[in-house]
Amino acid sequence: METNTDTEASTTKHAVSFRFGRLYITTLVALAVLLTAGQVMMQWRVGAVRNEILLVRQIALQRHQSQQIAKKALQLTAEIGQPGFARNALELREVLNTFETYHRQTRDGQLPEQGITITNSVAIKKLFAATLPRFNTFGQGARWFAEQQNPAQMKTPAARAALHLVLDNERELLTQIDAIARAYNAQVRAKLNQLQTTEFYLYITTLLVLTVIGLLIFRPAVQQLRQTLTQLIQAEAQTAEANGQLRQANESLTEARKQLYAATREKLQQQSNAQKLRTAYLITGQEEERKRLSRDLHDGLGQMLTAIKLQVEGVETALNGQGVTPVANIATLKKLISRTIQETRTISNNLMPSVLSDFGVVPALKMLAEGEQSMGVDISFDTNLNSDDRPDRNTEIALYRVTQEAISNALRHAQPTQITVELIGRDGYLHLIVTDNGLGFDPQQSRQLPVDRPGGPSQGLHNMHERVHLLGGRLRIWSRAGQGTKIHIAIPDTNTNTQLIADEYDTAYTGR
């Protein structure tokens, strides 16, 4: 059913396109032929009028030139000096030659410089024939002046006779030239009137052709278009129904894609959680191993060294009773053994302080701050938590190790005089802030250093980042050369069941 509908719509579309294309081509061809014919006719008429206007302009120049000839003739009769006479004679010859050339060209209907040739009417030819006697007589008198070389000849009877020929014929010649110009102007006006009439007829014809086209071509085309639109509306209704079905299918596909995305995200989250769990197990194993080693050192090595100390004291007593006096050596041995015992206990405490397991992170951090004070460095600890406010064991270990690492880095690399440790619980987070007034460093440059660099700060910073990240927390470091360092850690407090939102703690207790 849908295939037949599509085939019918395609056939109708091609048929309508062919009909409208044929109608438009016919219309355009008719208009093009009409406009082209009118344009050719108008250009031909305009060209003819333009040529006659150029002839009228040249006739007007002849009037001006005849006046210049008469003026030059009078100037020659009045000249006394040779230079002025020769100049006027030369100018007279040039104007006379141009005047005769223009008169001859307009009489023949030719303008060689513009490439124009027209046929003068009988009336204009008669007017030119009537000017010929006076033109010749006027030219004869002007030619006599143009041929003279000596100013003295201007005082002869021949000069007076030539001047009479010029002056007596000038006025009549000007009148005849004006008559010719008026005749040309009359012809130009008549042709312009014809041109205007022709243009009007072309306009009327164009309107008639457009009317015929509208009635015979566009009216049937509009009817056909109306039928086509009706068919298109019906086809649109069918298309809308098909689109509804496609929309439902698309919604089903979208829902399936969402479910697939949710399942994929859940799987990735499970994998991430599993990875975190494995890492947490690894760290837990490390901490258990450290605890076992601490216990062995304390219970084994410590007790044995204590027994040695007691035995040495017994030896000392016995030797003193028998009069033997290796007291100095034995005293030194006692001091060394005592220092060994103390060092063993210190190592044990660093590996896993018993106060952290027994009493929690608050006493452990306080004891850490008190125990690390050396070399004139003032280390203070402040908190708003009670000793009974204990987070889970992994969080306590992480807070203690991060603080231990931060203080150790500051003492080894920053040369501070004061270190402040703050542990603040608020808004579902545990905020650990370690600040020193030491040398400071560039955190960006430190991140680019190798993690396994021996003794370098990047290894300690990496360890801190990893510990905090495993607990779902965030770590920020602010430092600048000469302005100290501030380390801010925020870890969700599992006792409040609050999840960490990325960057939420940046404005809480940063102080920068």
Side-chain angles (χ1 to χ4, degrees):
M1 182 62 180
E2 293 181 357
T3 303
N4 294 335
T5 303
D6 294 339
T7 303
E8 292 176 0
S10 177
T11 303
T12 303
K13 179 180 70 176
H14 289 296
V16 171
S17 300
F18 176 75
R19 292 172 187 171
F20 273 97
R22 184 176 60 185
L23 292 175
Y24 283 130
I25 291 174
T26 303
T27 302
L28 293 176
V29 169
L31 290 176
V33 170
L34 180 62
L35 293 175
T36 302
Q39 185 67 19
V40 171
M41 183 182 298
M42 293 293 293
Q43 291 296 327
W44 176 70
R45 290 291 185 88
V46 169
V49 172
R50 183 181 65 250
N51 295 339
E52 293 191 4
I53 291 175
L54 292 176
L55 281 175
V56 172
R57 177 178 175 273
Q58 191 152 313
I59 292 173
L61 289 175
Q62 293 177 34
R63 176 183 175 87
H64 176 66
Q65 291 166 351
S66 65
Q67 293 175 344
Q68 283 186 326
I69 291 171
K71 179 181 177 181
K72 291 298 179 182
L74 289 173
Q75 289 178 347
L76 288 173
T77 58
E79 285 290 345
I80 299 176
Q82 182 65 31
F85 180 85
R87 184 179 65 254
N88 288 326
L90 177 60
E91 293 177 356
L92 177 59
R93 283 193 297 272
E94 292 176 354
V95 175
L96 180 59
N97 290 333
T98 304
F99 173 75
E100 291 177 345
T101 300
Y102 281 3
H103 187 79
R104 187 168 50 254
Q105 289 176 354
T106 52
R107 183 178 59 201
D108 297 337
Q110 295 180 351
L111 295 177
E113 295 180 356
Q114 288 82 15
I116 295 174
T117 300
I118 64 175
T119 302
N120 290 327
S121 63
V122 176
I124 292 178
K125 289 180 179 180
K126 289 181 179 180
L127 292 174
F128 273 112
T131 63
L132 188 58
R134 292 197 178 275
F135 175 80
N136 292 332
T137 303
F138 178 80
Q140 182 181 355
R143 183 64 60 185
W144 186 89
F145 283 101
E147 293 173 355
Q148 302 307 311
Q149 302 295 329
N150 191 349
Q153 295 176 348
M154 297 297 101
K155 305 301 181 181
T156 62
R160 289 192 294 273
L163 184 60
H164 283 299
L165 288 177
V166 172
L167 296 178
D168 292 343
N169 289 281
E170 180 195 6
R171 186 179 299 276
E172 293 299 330
L173 183 61
L174 289 176
T175 302
Q176 291 174 345
I177 290 175
D178 288 341
I180 293 173
R182 285 194 297 273
Y184 270 117
N185 286 330
Q187 288 184 1
V188 170
R189 285 195 298 271
K191 289 183 178 180
L192 288 176
N193 291 332
Q194 291 178 0
L195 188 63
Q196 186 176 8
T197 303
T198 302
E199 184 179 6
F200 176 75
Y201 284 138
L202 285 174
Y203 173 72
I204 296 299
T205 303
T206 303
L207 290 180
L208 291 175
V209 170
L210 291 175
T211 303
V212 172
I213 290 174
L215 293 176
L216 300 181
I217 296 179
F218 284 104
R219 186 177 180 183
V222 170
Q223 295 178 353
Q224 182 64 38
L225 181 62
R226 186 180 295 111
Q227 296 176 359
T228 303
L229 288 176
T230 302
Q231 296 175 357
L232 288 176
I233 291 173
Q234 295 176 355
E236 183 180 4
Q238 297 176 356
T239 303
E241 183 179 358
N243 287 337
Q245 297 175 356
L246 289 175
R247 190 180 298 108
Q248 293 178 356
N250 187 40
E251 291 176 355
S252 300
L253 182 61
T254 302
E255 184 64 25
R257 185 170 62 249
K258 289 181 179 179
Q259 294 176 358
L260 178 61
Y261 174 75
T264 303
R265 184 175 61 183
E266 183 179 0
K267 182 178 179 180
L268 292 176
Q269 186 63 36
Q270 290 176 353
Q271 293 176 353
S272 177
N273 293 336
Q275 180 65 27
K276 289 182 180 181
L277 185 60
R278 287 193 297 270
T279 306
Y281 285 154
L282 177 61
I283 293 177
T284 302
Q286 293 175 351
E287 295 297 333
E288 290 294 336
E289 182 65 20
R290 289 179 177 180
K291 185 177 180 180
R292 183 191 64 79
L293 179 60
S294 175
R295 184 172 57 253
D296 291 343
L297 289 174
H298 183 272
D299 297 339
L301 182 60
Q303 290 180 2
M304 286 188 295
L305 290 175
T306 301
I308 292 173
K309 178 177 178 291
L310 294 175
Q311 292 296 327
V312 171
E313 289 177 350
V315 171
E316 179 185 10
T317 302
L319 290 176
N320 288 334
Q322 296 177 359
V324 182
T325 60
V327 179
N329 292 335
I330 295 176
T332 301
L333 181 60
K334 286 174 55 181
K335 292 180 181 180
L336 290 175
I337 294 174
S338 298
R339 289 173 60 185
T340 303
I341 296 172
Q342 183 63 33
E343 184 67 20
T344 302
R345 290 175 178 175
T346 301
I347 294 173
S348 174
N349 185 69
N350 289 335
L351 288 174
M352 176 56 67
S354 58
V355 66
L356 179 64
S357 301
D358 298 337
F359 302 102
V361 68
V362 173
L365 292 180
K366 183 177 181 181
M367 182 176 293
L368 176 64
E370 294 175 352
E372 291 289 350
Q373 295 194 36
S374 63
M375 296 182 294
V377 179
D378 180 20
I379 303 177
S380 62
F381 172 71
D382 187 22
T383 182
N384 66 346
L385 300 178
N386 298 322
S387 300
D388 297 334
D389 297 334
R390 299 189 59 177
D392 63 88
R393 183 171 178 274
N394 291 332
T395 302
E396 285 187 335
I397 294 174
L399 291 173
Y400 183 83
R401 294 302 182 190
V402 168
T403 305
Q404 191 178 39
E405 188 69 38
I407 294 176
S408 176
N409 285 340
L411 292 176
R412 283 185 297 171
H413 306 289
Q415 301 177 12
T417 61
Q418 184 176 3
I419 300 175
T420 301
V421 180
E422 298 176 84
L423 181 61
I424 301 172
R426 186 172 180 181
D427 298 333
Y429 302 105
L430 292 175
H431 298 269
L432 175 64
I433 303 172
V434 181
T435 307
D436 69 73
N437 61 350
L439 300 178
F441 67 99
D442 185 0
Q444 292 295 123
Q445 184 178 2
S446 178
R447 292 191 185 97
Q448 297 173 1
L449 294 175
V451 175
D452 56 352
R453 179 180 175 184
S458 62
Q459 182 178 4
L461 295 178
H462 177 74
N463 293 337
M464 287 191 288
H465 273 287
E466 289 298 322
R467 287 183 180 275
V468 174
H469 178 69
L470 288 174
L471 296 176
R474 300 294 296 273
L475 182 145
R476 289 289 185 269
I477 300 175
W478 292 270
S479 183
R480 187 175 298 176
Q483 298 184 14
T485 302
K486 182 175 184 178
I487 301 175
H488 181 195
I489 299 99
I491 299 177
D493 189 356
T494 55
N495 292 332
T496 60
N497 195 25
T498 302
Q499 297 297 322
L500 179 66
I501 301 175
D503 298 330
E504 181 177 330
Y505 68 90
D506 284 347
T507 58
Y509 302 100
T510 59
R512 299 192 182 185

